[in-house]
Amino acid sequence: MRYEDFYRRSIEQPESFWAEQARLIHWHTPPRQILDASQPPFRRWFVGGTTNLCYNALDRHLAERGEQLALAAVSSETGLTRELSYRELHREVNAFAAVLVSLGVERGDRVVIYLPNIAEAVFAMLACARIGAIHSVVFGGFAAHSLALRIDDAEPKLLIAADAGMRGGKTIPYLPLVEAALAEAKLVSPQVLVVDRGLAPQRSARSERYLDYATLRARHLGDEVPVAWLESNEPSYLLYTSGTTGKPKGIQRDVGGYAVAMAMSIRLIFDVAPGQVMFSTSDVGWAVGHSYNVYGPLIGGATSLLYEGLPAHPDPGVWWRLCERYGVRSMFSSPTAIRVLKKQDAAWLKKYDVSALKWLFLAGEPLDEPTAQWITAGLGVPVIDNYWQTETGWPAITLMPGLELKPVKFGSPGLPAPGYRLKVIDEASGDEAAPGEKGVLVFEPPLPPGCLSTVWRDDARYVASYFEHFKPLLYSSLDWAIRDADGYTTILGRTDDVINVAGHRLGTREIEESVAAHPGVAEAAVVGVQDELKGQVPVVFATLRQGVGETPGQAAAGMRRCVVEQLGSIARPARIYVVNALPKTRSGKLLRRSLQALCQQADPGDLSTLDDPAALDEVRRALQRGPDD
Ligand code: AMP
């Protein structure tokens, strides 16, 4: 079928279109109503239908593909590989679900999962889905403060953590971070279930309080736990993402709409059919990991390849060796990962037989043309850039090779995915921008199935964050974009204070708060500055308190330590400049954009609101002098 016809139907006849897509999944009770958009910007898909993500991901496939490989979890860190058929995965998930039930976890309870990219993370997620508990996976690279914020907001009954993760051969103990987070969290004190990988033999004082997963698993292996049939719009999971405030938002996903979006997109966007292999290099802690390491491939009856490790460790051929070994058809990664590989010998791309590979999908940050050209030529397969957000849960702008491959245009992720009423509008007037003109990327409600339902326990924040920028009601992506005459959209970067480091979204406010936690700091401004490898990196400008007596170098080291300890090394500032004043408007707002422009040797823009011109000179001098650490 032609893409244009398919897309047009999704927009003009959304109910019949999505009713048809809904047949891709199993419904315990069929929906009574396909779409209820009576209370915009909220909308409910497949109202009255009951279903279950775990049933669709596992039980439904047992009769036809019980012995097929469902999950291969490969760790280049530990050297271990675990392969599970659908039947074996079903058994593990049932055992895990029985463990959850034995610990008193019930439908609607939250479970925070703080695990590396290992098979147990998949078991835990699916086990929660099975019993209707709401999982909230926290990326293992986040540190104690990030974890504490999420614990306080989600109020979990249970926290599932590993003893440790590994990165580049180095062990990263998780339990000290868990302890610091629990000490900081104000509202709840969840039980802690530990998946002990035997990586961190040093046990802590609290270890008697921990529940041991292996012991409980052994007790419950062989148990069958009945599926909880959830109404389509009940929450399935929360995934926290950074915004412009210091407090991350709990993006809340539904059940039925998400299952349908996964079933459709794995087939028509990612071109993966039952029995075929999908390899997403993402971590389960990100939106991509949820959708295309776990739910998408499994709901689609495919094989999911999960990878713990770095792209070029132990050598830059590791991913292509896996493609050869498992006959990977579709691969999903990030531009940063490809830029890491681009620094290595291109011969690694030719060393293994990757003839089963049909597509490489890249997302999370802008894909620069040299990187796209290099990997396209090296692998000899089309590279499909696709744009999405944690909020959307699946690509919003992409090509759909599983339906019809439209021409790839370097620099653009392509065309709107089904159901996305995409517009690029002028920021001031709200009118649609002409082709080639820059504007804000928006989606007219109702958002398609799979996108967020709301912000956890904060409908007002959902409305204020996304829908109050324009009238009439539009979902603002908070990204700048340009559309060409063929409808291809190019993303030009964020309109807010969010930065994108190696494809991961970080709020500058969160980093500023952490920097300011260093006692010597009076005030801090953080901006995202272009970086050849990571896309952007955080750069700090800070003023110091009088009378603390630290040198700028000591203060900078202290600030960096605070960020790494509180947020994790993912947010580690690349450069720190100590200055006497920060550029602000007369009303006291930090001029982050001007700071960012100066760091990139660009025009600092409109300075008419600048309070003290000396502050800008101060920044210029600091940049000339070089960072203080
Ligand atoms: P996250 O929610 O962490 O996935 O971050 C979403 C943000 O990443 C978007 O709002 C964009 O700023 C950026 N982004 C994601 N995919 C792309 C892409 N293909 N091209 C350019 N920017 C992207």
Side-chain angles (χ1 to χ4, degrees):
M1 187 192 259
R2 286 179 61 235
Y3 160 81
E4 282 83 0
D5 299 331
F6 195 72
Y7 176 71
R8 192 175 316 115
R9 262 202 63 216
S10 77
I11 299 302
E12 291 174 0
Q13 297 155 4
E15 303 204 29
S16 72
F17 177 89
W18 288 110
E20 208 170 280
Q21 302 309 320
R23 289 195 210 115
L24 294 170
I25 68 155
H26 170 85
W27 293 92
H28 183 63
T29 328
R32 206 171 53 239
Q33 185 185 1
I34 299 301
L35 169 65
D36 170 12
S38 60
Q39 287 176 305
F42 299 92
R43 52 61 175 120
R44 298 187 305 147
W45 286 101
F46 311 117
V47 182
T50 61
T51 185
N52 180 285
L53 286 171
C54 179
Y55 184 90
N56 275 286
L58 298 179
D59 305 58
R60 191 170 58 123
H61 302 307
L62 290 182
E64 212 178 317
R65 53 189 72 256
E67 311 322 315
Q68 180 199 305
L69 186 62
L71 178 69
V74 178
S75 173
S76 66
E77 297 289 351
T78 61
L80 298 175
T81 293
R82 263 188 98 172
E83 295 180 346
L84 296 108
S85 66
Y86 270 94
R87 199 169 309 287
E88 288 161 337
L89 184 55
H90 182 260
R91 190 172 144 85
E92 289 295 342
V93 169
N94 269 283
F96 213 123
V99 170
L100 296 180
V101 171
S102 76
L103 299 177
V105 178
E106 293 175 11
R107 177 172 179 162
D109 286 342
R110 275 77 57 213
V111 174
V112 166
I113 300 174
Y114 187 54
L115 293 173
N117 233 19
I118 55 175
E120 285 81 359
V122 180
F123 306 164
M125 290 163 77
L126 292 169
C128 287
R130 187 169 195 87
I131 64 169
I134 302 167
H135 62 69
S136 182
V137 183
V138 177
F139 172 56
F142 281 132
H145 177 64
S146 303
L147 181 58
L149 284 178
R150 287 155 174 80
I151 290 172
D152 264 344
D153 196 69
E155 299 189 89
K157 195 173 240 179
L158 178 70
L159 170 64
I160 304 171
D163 59 339
M166 280 185 80
R167 199 175 153 79
K170 197 171 148 238
T171 301
I172 302 155
Y174 279 16
L175 296 181
L177 303 174
V178 165
E179 276 157 33
L182 291 178
E184 185 185 332
K186 291 177 208 70
L187 299 174
V188 286
S189 180
Q191 307 178 79
V192 181
L193 178 66
V194 175
V195 176
D196 192 344
R197 307 172 74 196
L199 296 177
Q202 299 287 356
R203 277 327 190 82
S204 69
R206 284 174 62 118
S207 56
E208 299 81 66
R209 279 195 46 193
Y210 295 149
L211 301 152
D212 180 50
Y213 164 66
T215 310
L216 293 174
R217 172 187 173 271
R219 208 173 288 159
H220 291 283
L221 202 59
D223 287 7
E224 289 243 357
V225 177
V227 160
W229 297 110
L230 305 179
E231 199 276 335
S232 176
N233 295 280
E234 282 183 53
S236 56
Y237 67 79
L238 310 177
L239 185 53
Y240 285 82
T241 190
S242 298
T244 46
T245 68
K247 188 174 171 243
K249 290 193 277 269
I251 300 302
Q252 180 177 321
R253 205 85 69 204
D254 67 2
V255 179
Y258 183 64
V260 172
M262 289 302 99
M264 185 198 71
S265 59
I266 193 73
R267 210 46 211 268
L268 298 183
I269 297 180
F270 295 98
D271 191 31
V272 174
Q276 295 178 339
V277 183
M278 170 97 186
F279 176 19
S280 160
T281 67
S282 174
D283 189 282
V284 287
W286 306 115
V288 176
H290 282 64
S291 293
Y292 299 109
N293 288 56
V294 183
Y295 290 112
L298 297 177
I299 288 175
T303 298
S304 175
L305 182 51
L306 187 75
Y307 175 76
E308 181 191 37
L310 297 172
H313 180 90
D315 62 64
V318 57
W319 284 357
W320 318 119
R321 220 158 34 240
L322 290 174
C323 284
E324 177 182 274
R325 184 180 341 148
Y326 290 99
V328 170
R329 177 181 176 87
S330 270
M331 188 165 160
F332 194 145
S333 193
S334 69
T336 291
I338 304 302
R339 287 193 290 264
V340 168
L341 294 175
K342 191 161 150 249
K343 293 188 153 192
Q344 312 284 337
D345 189 349
W348 285 106
L349 299 175
K350 304 278 183 213
K351 200 161 179 252
Y352 299 95
D353 175 9
V354 297
S355 53
L357 190 68
K358 291 279 173 286
W359 320 102
L360 173 65
F361 292 85
L362 298 176
E365 55 181 318
L367 173 61
D368 56 288
E369 188 157 344
T371 302
Q373 300 278 18
W374 179 81
I375 193 70
T376 307
L379 288 178
V381 302
V383 171
I384 317 272
D385 181 5
N386 61 127
Y387 165 90
W388 48 311
Q389 305 184 301
T390 304
E391 288 83 347
T392 66
W394 59 291
I397 308 175
T398 184
L399 299 183
M400 301 184 67
L403 182 71
E404 179 203 15
L405 182 66
K406 307 295 287 183
V408 170
K409 289 195 193 183
F410 284 121
S412 165
L415 301 160
Y420 287 90
R421 298 159 189 269
L422 185 158
K423 284 185 170 169
V424 175
I425 60 166
D426 183 84
E427 194 190 22
S429 68
D431 295 337
E432 227 170 319
E437 257 175 39
K438 177 177 167 178
V440 180
L441 174 70
V442 299
F443 305 123
E444 211 177 298
L447 294 174
C451 293
L452 78 169
S453 336
T454 186
V455 172
W456 172 245
R457 285 187 179 154
D458 202 344
D459 286 349
R461 194 168 179 203
Y462 168 73
V463 176
S465 303
Y466 303 107
F467 292 95
E468 280 184 349
H469 303 268
F470 301 103
K471 290 222 158 35
L473 225 44
L474 292 168
Y475 170 89
S476 175
S477 68
L478 303 169
D479 277 305
W480 297 110
I482 284 190
R483 243 178 152 182
D484 74 7
D486 300 328
Y488 279 65
T489 304
T490 296
I491 307 297
L492 303 171
R494 299 281 299 188
T495 66
D496 59 3
D497 293 326
V498 163
I499 63 174
N500 193 317
V501 179
H504 305 317
R505 194 204 292 196
L506 295 174
T508 49
R509 293 286 162 78
E510 278 170 80
I511 307 177
E512 281 164 9
E513 283 178 16
S514 269
V515 169
H518 179 63
V521 172
E523 197 179 11
V526 172
V527 292
V529 176
Q530 260 165 20
D531 180 80
E532 212 178 292
L533 190 66
K534 297 181 174 175
Q536 284 187 312
V537 288
V539 170
V540 177
F541 293 86
T543 57
L544 300 186
R545 265 183 224 284
Q546 301 292 322
V548 175
E550 277 179 329
T551 64
Q554 288 166 333
M559 293 180 222
R560 176 164 290 127
R561 219 173 22 248
C562 275
V563 174
V564 172
E565 278 173 10
Q566 294 197 347
L567 302 179
S569 46
I570 182 182
R572 181 195 301 271
R575 295 182 285 283
I576 298 176
Y577 297 91
V578 173
V579 290
N580 289 324
L582 293 170
K584 290 189 185 168
T585 63
R586 265 166 237 123
S587 55
K589 272 179 77 175
L590 277 169
L591 281 167
R592 290 192 187 77
R593 290 227 181 112
S594 304
L595 272 177
Q596 183 189 38
L598 288 178
C599 291
Q600 295 176 172
Q601 281 104 39
D603 176 3
D606 177 14
L607 296 175
S608 57
T609 55
L610 181 66
D611 184 35
D612 175 15
L616 220 55
D617 294 336
E618 172 74 8
V619 168
R620 285 198 182 94
R621 272 197 300 278
L623 287 168
Q624 264 171 8
R625 197 178 62 224
D628 284 293
D629 50 324

